[in-house]
Amino acid sequence: MAEQVYQKWCSHCHAPGIGHPGTQRLEWSFGKDRAVLKDRTDLSADYIAQVVRNGRLEMPSFRPTEISDTDLDALAKFLAGEK
Amino acid sequence: MARKLPPGIDITEFEGALAAFAEAIGIEWVFADESAGVSSYRDPFAIVDDDHFEPSAAVAPADVEQVQDIVRIAGDFEIPLWPISTGKNLAYGGPAPRLPGSVVLDLKRLNKVIEVNEEFGYALVEPGVSYLDLYEHLQKTGSKLWIDPASNAMGGIVGNTADRGVGYTPYGDHFAMQCGMEVVLADGSLVRTGMGALPNSNTWQLFKYGFGPYLDGIFTQSNFGVITKMGIWLMPEPPGYRPYLITFPREEDIEQVIEILRPLKVSLVIQNAATISNILLDACITGTRSQYYTGDGPLPPSVLTKIMTDQKIGMWNFYSALYGPEPIMDATWGVIRDALSAVPGARFYLAEDRPNDPVMAYRKKLMSGEPTLAEFNSINWTGGGGHVDFSPISPITGADAMKQYSMIRDRCAEFGFDYLGEFIIGWREMHHIFMLLFDGEDESQKTQARALFSVLIDEAAKAGYGEYRTHLAYMDKIAASYNWNDNALLKLNERIKDALDPKGILAPGKQGIWPKHLRGQKN
């Protein structure tokens, strides 16, 4: 389920490579090895949830009607690498 | 932090309204505090204070009946509502309300693709359907129809069309391709426009005008009703599609290029909403300013030349496409090539000539109805994420384009911003879109950005140019610039507003239209 949420809401900006603004921005800010969201190991689930709900710099916010609290919880844990 | 309340409503009344909303749609769909996610309804790219356009709460009905319930309850408690569809109107305020303290009416849950008709080429959709949603639906069902997406794939078909946004295929004038609406009025009653007013009609999405006054327009860029269904025409996949790019090396080329393009567009040799984009609007898709130049002030000619060399683009870049059978595309391409070869240094590229060019790749998608978010990278150009569009209408004439461009370019230089812009060519006009980028976390830059934006509005109006759409913060100022005959149009809008929404609960302030009890106040 978390993978589906990621594909629908995150992949268009955070998939690897050019044409994905989130990846490009993270590469310019933190370097190639911290550019692809799914490869990151330094992000906490709480931080991810907070950024999704409030946005961060170029990233807009996502509402509960877009990503429910349940889906957000699963997505945040998925991206933080928590089982 | 004190709780945000609608103007003139005390906490008891507000909690009464929230309770009534909860009873109508379920408590889980009433978002009234930080933990429930109400902060996600702010403008993510605020050009003013981050929490200026802040809602008091948000409510998310599931269907039309619940929308009617919400609207009636809001009328009973005199609570201002701010309807949003997908809430991704990102250069113009996002999900945030114009009147701080409003309750956002989030229509995202109304997300049904009600009908797709392959034979006649149309869809009937609810407001929560985004361009991505409809595109994926058509892909899944094997449809042979194209959507015409805005540059932001997360945008909503109903929301973008109701704000009269534009796209890039031959169906790029979104409102021209709209056909039929269902609208909840401020008293909660339900109306269908056009042929939808005739029971059992089978032409609701086929004939726009119906019988009697043609009202669809008054429900666009307004606060006269809440659109709950909209018909949109979809382009049948053409037998052939050939996107192309023509680059022009000099800044002043824009004048000659547009003079050549006008007759081609007016006679429909150019079939789509083609765009002429400035060098930086292309450069920012793959790079940042600091990668090319770290100094202040406009990028020097030497840096612009390097960008042109690196990316094989020009100072102006014309993205368009051919649609139709191969022989017709060949003939049309010949006409266009001959015409634009008159511009010294023009270079011609078909998409296949630039297989690894990310800008050509995303333009190719947009011009064939494939949604993408690639253009979003433009707001990485200077970092900080803030961006707002200044979007005046221009005739399709070289002189006007150059006049608008140089006015904005010079003011940008004065206030310390880059000009990232494009002209999108419509039937008889061009949408000139200037993306004002600023660092959302740098207050002094935001102050400069606000100052620049205000100067541009005044200067454009003095020259006879008006914006077609704007950000929450500038709705009043731009509405005031459309003041012919002592503000006759605004006064008419206010009379319609008072007649349709006497309590003034729907989207107060949208496009500068205020309800009676809030008119003249500093909102």
Side-chain angles (χ1 to χ4, degrees), chain B residues 253-272:
Chain B
D253 287 340
I254 185 79
E255 204 152 346
Q256 183 184 6
V257 168
I258 289 180
E259 281 304 302
I260 294 169
L261 287 176
R262 182 181 54 255
L264 295 175
K265 178 61 190 177
V266 170
S267 60
L268 292 181
V269 170
I270 291 169
Q271 302 156 282
N272 71 312

Side-chain angles (χ1 to χ4, degrees), chain B residues 224-489:
Chain B
F224 297 155
V226 180
I227 300 169
T228 48
K229 290 182 181 64
M230 182 187 281
I232 193 85
W233 292 337
L234 302 177
M235 177 175 166
E237 183 179 342
Y241 167 58
R242 203 184 290 173
Y244 61 84
L245 161 66
I246 305 171
T247 66
F248 306 98
R250 295 166 312 167
E251 190 176 38
E252 60 273 22
D253 287 340
I254 185 79
E255 204 152 346
Q256 183 184 6
V257 168
I258 289 180
E259 281 304 302
I260 294 169
L261 287 176
R262 182 181 54 255
L264 295 175
K265 178 61 190 177
V266 170
S267 60
L268 292 181
V269 170
I270 291 169
Q271 302 156 282
N272 71 312
T275 54
I276 306 161
S277 70
N278 178 264
I279 181 173
L280 297 188
L281 193 62
D282 279 15
C284 69
I285 300 301
T286 54
T288 64
R289 187 183 215 269
S290 58
Q291 290 169 343
Y292 280 102
Y293 183 64
T294 52
D296 291 332
L299 275 63
S302 58
V303 175
L304 295 175
T305 304
K306 178 162 179 15
I307 291 174
M308 282 195 266
T309 313
D310 288 357
Q311 304 199 14
K312 293 200 195 61
I313 54 176
M315 279 297 289
W316 294 99
N317 305 287
F318 178 55
Y319 291 92
S320 188
L322 306 161
Y323 306 83
E326 292 297 327
I328 291 177
M329 290 199 295
D330 292 341
T332 309
W333 178 234
V335 170
I336 292 168
R337 279 195 69 128
D338 290 348
L340 286 163
S341 297
V343 183
R347 291 214 180 112
F348 299 80
Y349 304 89
L350 294 174
E352 53 263 35
D353 301 330
R354 306 174 70 105
N356 304 312
D357 171 4
V359 184
M360 186 78 240
Y362 100 84
R363 290 285 184 185
K364 178 181 176 183
K365 283 182 177 177
L366 284 180
M367 293 191 291
S368 59
E370 186 178 345
T372 164
L373 280 165
E375 190 169 285
F376 225 68
N377 198 66
S378 51
I379 56 180
N380 287 331
W381 176 248
T382 45
H387 71 290
V388 62
D389 286 354
F390 176 71
S391 25
I393 295 296
S394 167
I396 311 175
T397 61
D400 289 287
M402 179 52 99
K403 189 174 174 186
Q404 283 197 9
Y405 162 66
S406 41
M407 176 192 90
I408 299 172
R409 175 203 60 201
D410 297 345
R411 288 296 190 180
C412 278
E414 181 187 332
F415 285 83
F417 295 93
D418 284 338
Y419 170 88
L420 284 81
E422 64 183 349
F423 291 89
I424 305 173
I425 310 177
W427 305 106
R428 293 294 182 277
E429 46 65 45
M430 298 190 293
H431 283 53
H432 182 186
I433 313 291
F434 159 53
M435 278 184 75
L436 172 52
L437 301 177
F438 57 89
D439 183 344
E441 297 185 341
D442 178 336
E443 278 315 312
S444 71
Q445 216 181 80
K446 282 168 80 166
T447 305
Q448 278 295 88
R450 287 195 297 269
L452 170 59
F453 207 95
S454 288
V455 163
L456 290 178
I457 294 170
D458 294 336
E459 211 159 78
K462 215 179 306 164
Y465 302 125
E467 289 68 62
Y468 89 102
R469 182 180 174 194
T470 197
H471 185 278
L472 304 173
Y474 297 101
M475 287 175 177
D476 287 1
K477 186 174 174 71
I478 289 175
S481 67
Y482 287 77
N483 54 32
W484 180 81
N485 195 18
D486 190 25
N487 291 297
L489 180 63

Side-chain angles (χ1 to χ4, degrees), chain A residues 8 24 28 54 63 65-66, chain B residues 39 86 88 106 133 291:
Chain A
K8 181 174 174 64
Q24 286 169 255
W28 291 327
N54 295 288
R63 311 185 309 277
T65 50
E66 295 172 300
Chain B
S39 62
T86 60
K88 288 296 191 276
D106 186 342
D133 293 333
Q291 290 169 343

